[in-house]
Amino acid sequence: MALDKNQIARRIAQELKDGMYVNLGIGIPTLVANYIPSTMTIVLQSENGMLGIGPYPTTENVDADLINAGKETVTIIDGGAFFDSAESFGMIRAGKINLTVLGAMEVSETGDIANWKIPGKMVKGMGGAMDLVASCDNIIVAMQHTNRAGESKILPKCSLPLTGVACVKKIVSDLAVLEVTRDGFLLLERAPGVTVEEIQQKTAGKLIIPDNVPEMRF
């Protein structure tokens, strides 16, 4: 059975390591904040000038002045800091972010990512995505494996305008966990109840299938 958005975020949270500085993109990635293990110290950074973002607020503790780069209300952990966007982007461009989690419309088998524009449709802009993919060595993508028409979004080559080239290290989709390698997409895990054959059928890019592909564990 395909994962829902929260399950994708929960699986990505397993990639976190104690002490990391992490940037979460808009959409599914922001949900990762809700699944950070209590035993870990993870510092979340946002392009609009926040360091130390906590999980989404409950109805009782919403503060309209606390918003992330996606204009969603968030919380702040003890010791959190606020600064201007210039300083925030300086932090990103200086390579101070250990992990970035982004959504994507397409990812190629060489690790290219397209996540900001569909030709002919109006967009507000790329935001911080280009800086993040150019400056962080560890990019994980959270995405649906196929589009609404059932066509693969995991491709030999992206057809949409690129955000970054050869930067994605790992993909967690609603069907599988894939590692981007020099030889193609290495299938690491499959969603509970999802077969290797289904993943293969819905992956247009080159898929490397080990002898044993375990189900994801939560």
Side-chain angles (χ1 to χ4, degrees):
M1 182 177 181
L3 304 183
D4 61 29
K5 294 180 180 180
N6 282 284
Q7 288 172 315
I8 293 174
R10 188 177 173 187
R11 173 59 187 82
I12 290 175
Q14 296 177 19
E15 301 294 318
L16 302 178
K17 296 180 181 179
D18 195 40
M20 273 186 166
Y21 285 78
V22 179
N23 184 289
L24 302 177
I26 296 171
I28 297 174
T30 57
L31 297 172
V32 174
N34 292 335
Y35 300 100
I36 296 174
S38 59
T39 55
M40 286 187 182
T41 299
I42 302 295
V43 183
L44 300 180
Q45 189 259 11
S46 180
E47 299 99 295
N48 63 323
M50 295 181 70
L51 190 66
I53 297 172
Y56 279 116
T58 61
T59 304
E60 293 76 21
N61 68 350
V62 169
D63 184 339
D65 290 327
L66 296 180
I67 59 171
N68 61 18
K71 298 182 175 61
E72 300 171 308
T73 53
V74 293
T75 58
I76 192 84
I77 63 174
D78 292 341
F82 305 93
F83 35 87
D84 63 36
S85 60
E87 190 166 352
S88 182
F89 275 89
M91 183 184 299
I92 292 169
R93 292 168 184 170
K96 303 298 184 182
I97 305 302
N98 305 122
L99 169 66
T100 295
V101 184
L102 296 171
M105 292 179 281
E106 295 178 345
V107 175
S108 80
E109 63 189 34
T110 56
D112 302 342
I113 179 174
N115 78 340
W116 75 283
K117 183 178 182 179
I118 297 176
K121 292 190 176 182
M122 184 176 295
V123 294
K124 295 180 180 179
M126 186 176 287
M130 180 177 284
D131 296 86
L132 287 161
V133 299
S135 305
C136 184
D137 292 331
N138 191 3
I139 306 292
I140 296 178
V141 167
M143 66 187 299
Q144 302 295 320
H145 214 92
T146 61
N147 61 23
R148 292 180 180 178
E151 300 166 333
S152 180
K153 297 165 63 174
I154 299 175
L155 306 167
K157 184 177 180 180
C158 295
S159 62
L160 297 174
L162 295 181
T163 309
V165 175
C167 56
V168 176
K169 298 296 188 291
K170 189 173 287 185
I171 300 167
V172 179
S173 78
D174 56 331
L175 300 181
V177 178
L178 305 171
E179 180 181 349
V180 179
T181 74
R182 292 181 179 180
D183 300 316
F185 297 109
L186 175 62
L187 180 57
L188 299 180
E189 300 174 21
R190 53 193 173 86
V194 173
T195 64
V196 170
E197 289 73 23
E198 180 180 357
I199 297 167
Q200 190 170 27
Q201 180 185 8
K202 295 181 178 179
T203 304
K206 183 180 179 181
L207 186 64
I208 304 166
I209 305 172
D211 292 336
N212 179 43
V213 182
E215 288 191 349
M216 298 180 204
R217 292 187 176 183
F218 297 99

